[in-house]
Amino acid sequence: MALLDGLLGPLEIALNRVLATSPQALEVLAAERDALQLSLRDLNWSFQLAPVKHGLVLTPVGTTPRASISTSLVGLARLAGGEDARSLGAALRIEGDAEYAEQIFTALRGAGVDWQAEMASLLGPGLLGRTRGWLDGGRDLLRDWLQHNAHAELVAAPDSAADVSMDALDQLAMQIDRCEARLARLEGQSR
Amino acid sequence: MSKPSTHFGYTAVPWDDKPGRVAAVFDSVASRYDLMNDLMSLGVHRAWKRFAVDLACIQRNDRVLDLAAGTGDLAALMASRLGERGSLVMSDYNAAMLGEGRDRIIDQGLAAQIRYVQADAEALPFADDSFDCITISFGLRNVRDKERALRSMFRVLAPGGRLLVLEFSQPRHPLLAKIYDAYSFEVIPRIGQLVAQDADSYRYLAESIRVHPGPDELQSMVEAAGFERTQYHSLTGGIVAVHRGYKF
């Protein structure tokens, strides 16, 4: 999915910044070269992680990986958080060299980083916050455009089309509100 | 056998003429180079360079070679991430640009780790496996024989090392491409005339971008030079791309 592949660069940079604080993890990764494929079912997104001397390289799906992991975002967070792969049951599917996949994840867990918190900050409130920013910007832009057209009487904007757009934005805003409330609840439960 | 002609912007020129012509362009713009970059890109070139350096993932002990180093802005970013045992060589074909870069590096207090080498990227004067990371930012399109330059970079890169090429590319959206064309050919030469009293050099800049290989072709060239795990990241709608390849 090309749109999400655009996130690979920033994601890799963030990941390697965290890994740079763990020479042990870097040492384990530096000894390996083969790609591990990660498929996030809920995002319908697959990419590959390959170890290099200074951390991990994230690339779109390309070469044949040594192992493939297919899971959800929650499954990934649980795996990264230290849960045993077997306890995830059907939520996790590993194909290929499962031992290799486990070795890479063990190295990442060994970095002594709270991956769940890191992922939550990247994919949770951070992403929601950015989406809300875009949404507010889009709303303002649409409102300004409608007002401009109404005042200048340049183009009679069809009311129904404008209403549909505004409704869609309102629906999205409601979904974001729900996600934020759910995150807050989950955060409360984990304390 | 006679040498083929090559391109200097849209103009076909004899093979041996291109380096001299490119050198004349940069002799002319060296003193206003950074100001022009800020004006032309509205400051976005700094974000592109920061992204490239972030992707390079510079380690404290790395030996870094910055080709087409120009006024040294990429080198300064990388030098600040090196430790005492790390080192960086700034290299450029053009003495005027390298001189500007050296002065700026000294002004920023980063000179201790940096050496300066005037060199041709097609025939790098370094031993095999000398560097952990090589960068070339907005320089490859000015190189006459890009394949040869990439092979030369591969030779001096140590196993496990990476190459990063930041270069103009091709906007992906047709509308953006049209706006970009109009901006490149109508606005940029005028800014060049106003600020650097040199419209021709900036017309060459726009033309040289158009004749530069697209991202997929450049990736193939990087692979053909021997690099592995190659990929590129398109930035700002494809106006520029950061290419990366590893030597294993």
Side-chain angles (χ1 to χ4, degrees):
Chain A
M1 187 184 279
L3 190 67
L4 286 175
D5 283 348
L7 291 175
L8 288 176
L11 199 58
E12 178 192 301
I13 290 165
L15 201 59
N16 284 331
R17 232 171 240 164
V18 175
L19 281 171
T21 60
S22 173
Q24 297 91 332
L26 287 178
E27 205 178 304
V28 173
L29 292 172
E32 298 296 342
R33 263 189 63 184
D34 295 329
L36 172 70
Q37 187 159 309
L38 193 58
S39 298
L40 296 171
R41 288 177 211 150
D42 33 14
L43 295 180
N44 191 23
W45 183 33
S46 299
F47 60 92
Q48 294 186 345
L49 304 98
V52 285
K53 209 161 78 176
H54 58 262
L56 285 168
V57 167
L58 270 50
T59 59
V61 173
T63 54
T64 310
R66 187 157 152 194
S68 299
I69 294 178
S70 171
T71 186
S72 61
L73 270 173
V74 173
L76 180 66
R78 286 170 65 188
L79 193 66
E83 273 192 48
D84 190 273
R86 278 162 298 195
S87 71
L88 292 171
L92 178 82
R93 205 173 64 233
I94 302 180
E95 283 170 11
D97 188 345
E99 212 171 290
Y100 181 66
E102 183 60 32
Q103 187 188 343
I104 298 296
F105 267 87
T106 305
L108 294 178
R109 286 195 289 253
V113 174
D114 186 346
W115 291 102
Q116 277 181 331
E118 292 288 335
M119 281 176 60
S121 69
L122 197 68
L123 298 166
L127 193 61
L128 285 178
R130 276 194 292 278
T131 311
R132 179 172 289 286
W134 295 332
L135 181 71
D136 290 344
R139 237 185 202 158
D140 292 345
L141 197 68
L142 187 61
R143 193 179 302 115
D144 290 349
W145 181 71
L146 289 171
Q147 280 173 0
H148 170 76
N149 280 343
H151 290 149
E153 293 180 351
L154 291 172
V155 182
D159 286 346
S160 57
D163 287 346
V164 167
S165 303
M166 278 305 218
D167 283 351
L169 289 173
D170 288 340
Q171 289 282 340
L172 192 55
M174 266 168 58
Q175 297 288 348
I176 290 175
D177 288 343
R178 279 189 197 146
C179 284
E180 278 180 340
R182 191 165 175 211
L183 274 172
R185 253 199 331 273
L186 287 169
E187 250 177 38
Q189 283 170 10
S190 67
R191 277 193 201 115
Chain B
M1 199 176 78
S2 66
K3 286 179 180 170
S5 65
T6 185
H7 53 76
F8 174 75
Y10 286 162
T11 314
V13 296
W15 183 258
D16 290 332
D17 280 12
K18 181 167 178 177
R21 288 186 180 230
V22 172
V25 166
F26 285 96
D27 281 341
S28 163
V29 302
S31 61
R32 302 279 173 100
Y33 188 75
D34 280 352
L35 174 64
M36 276 302 295
N37 281 347
D38 278 332
L39 288 172
M40 287 187 304
S41 73
L42 308 172
V44 180
H45 75 103
R46 293 175 189 277
W48 295 333
K49 287 169 182 166
R50 207 171 304 118
F51 181 75
V53 171
D54 284 342
L55 270 186
C57 204
I58 302 295
Q59 307 292 291
R60 292 180 61 74
N61 296 340
D62 274 350
R63 298 160 296 166
V64 182
L65 171 63
D66 184 25
L67 292 168
T71 51
D73 41 5
L74 206 70
L77 279 174
M78 293 191 287
S80 63
R81 298 177 189 200
L82 291 171
E84 279 177 11
R85 290 171 60 196
S87 63
L88 193 149
V89 174
M90 270 175 71
S91 175
D92 204 295
Y93 187 82
N94 185 284
M97 292 294 286
L98 197 58
E100 282 286 327
R102 183 198 54 205
D103 292 348
R104 282 162 201 247
I105 289 292
I106 291 169
D107 289 347
Q108 291 175 65
L110 294 165
Q113 297 153 302
I114 300 181
R115 288 183 297 135
Y116 312 90
V117 177
Q118 187 184 359
D120 183 348
E122 292 177 31
L124 291 168
F126 305 105
D128 294 0
D129 306 341
S130 298
F131 298 98
D132 302 300
C133 179
I134 299 178
T135 56
I136 178 165
S137 156
F138 301 115
L140 191 64
R141 74 178 188 287
N142 295 315
V143 174
R144 179 182 48 185
D145 189 338
K146 294 171 187 61
E147 285 92 346
R148 190 166 168 231
L150 289 167
R151 286 198 300 274
S152 185
M153 294 173 208
F154 185 78
R155 180 184 64 76
V156 301
L157 195 63
R162 61 270 185 213
L163 164 73
L164 279 108
V165 180
L166 173 62
E167 191 50 271
F168 287 106
S169 192
Q170 292 167 349
R172 283 170 299 188
H173 195 282
L175 180 63
L176 178 62
K178 276 189 182 170
I179 295 168
Y180 180 58
D181 270 354
Y183 183 70
S184 303
F185 288 103
E186 301 301 327
V187 180
I188 287 178
R190 285 179 195 176
I191 299 176
Q193 183 59 44
L194 273 173
V195 178
Q197 283 77 52
D198 183 355
D200 287 344
S201 292
Y202 287 94
R203 200 164 293 116
Y204 161 74
L205 169 79
E207 291 178 3
S208 67
I209 292 167
R210 298 321 185 275
V211 295
H212 186 64
D216 293 323
E217 192 185 344
L218 185 54
Q219 186 179 9
S220 301
M221 287 165 70
V222 172
E223 262 170 24
F227 291 95
E228 294 178 56
R229 203 162 282 153
T230 59
Q231 69 179 129
Y232 65 84
H233 297 268
S234 291
L235 305 177
T236 318
I239 289 176
V240 302
V242 185
H243 287 256
R244 185 175 57 190
Y246 284 83
K247 176 179 176 179
F248 291 118

